[in-house]
Amino acid sequence: RNGIYPLMNFAVSRPHALPRVLSQPQEDPQKAKTPTPEPFDVETRKVVQMQCNMELNEDKTQWHLTLLLILEDKLHRQLSYDLLPTDNSKDLATELVHYGFIHE
């Protein structure tokens, strides 16, 4: 979310040991709950400058979109995406707002 490599500082030096369970009770499929999606953070900073670049992939079958966003606090955010034939600009912008990458 913040910075170019935000996941580098979260590496675990060794895997956590999981407790062993002999048997787990079978759940009734009708009682099984679907996971509720976690709420996303809302971006409050506005984009002051944006650069968009589109290129064809090596196999020349799909477009690759790269956005470089500069937010009002001088933070740079680079996003990239392989475009699908069904994608349109309005849906992509809505998705960026939904996931908290840009301010509405």
Side-chain angles (χ1 to χ4, degrees), residues 21-100:
V21 177
L22 296 176
S23 65
Q24 294 184 357
Q26 295 290 333
E27 286 188 17
D28 184 16
Q30 292 181 356
K31 291 183 180 179
K33 295 181 181 179
T34 58
T36 54
E38 293 185 22
F40 295 99
D41 292 335
V42 176
E43 180 61 71
T44 57
R45 299 168 294 190
K46 294 183 181 177
V47 175
V48 294
Q49 187 176 355
M50 177 181 68
Q51 180 180 353
C52 177
N53 186 26
M54 289 183 63
E55 302 175 331
L56 276 173
N57 287 350
E58 291 97 19
D59 56 359
K60 307 264 190 236
T61 59
Q62 194 172 30
W63 287 95
H64 183 77
L65 171 73
T66 303
L67 291 174
L68 176 61
L69 307 173
I70 301 175
L71 303 176
E72 60 188 355
D73 63 350
K74 305 293 186 218
L75 181 114
H76 290 64
R77 181 171 285 162
Q78 182 173 342
L79 307 169
S80 61
Y81 179 72
D82 288 327
L83 291 170
L84 301 173
T86 58
D87 287 333
N88 63 50
S89 59
K90 186 174 182 178
D91 291 342
L92 291 174
T94 303
E95 211 171 295
L96 289 171
V97 171
H98 173 76
Y99 290 111

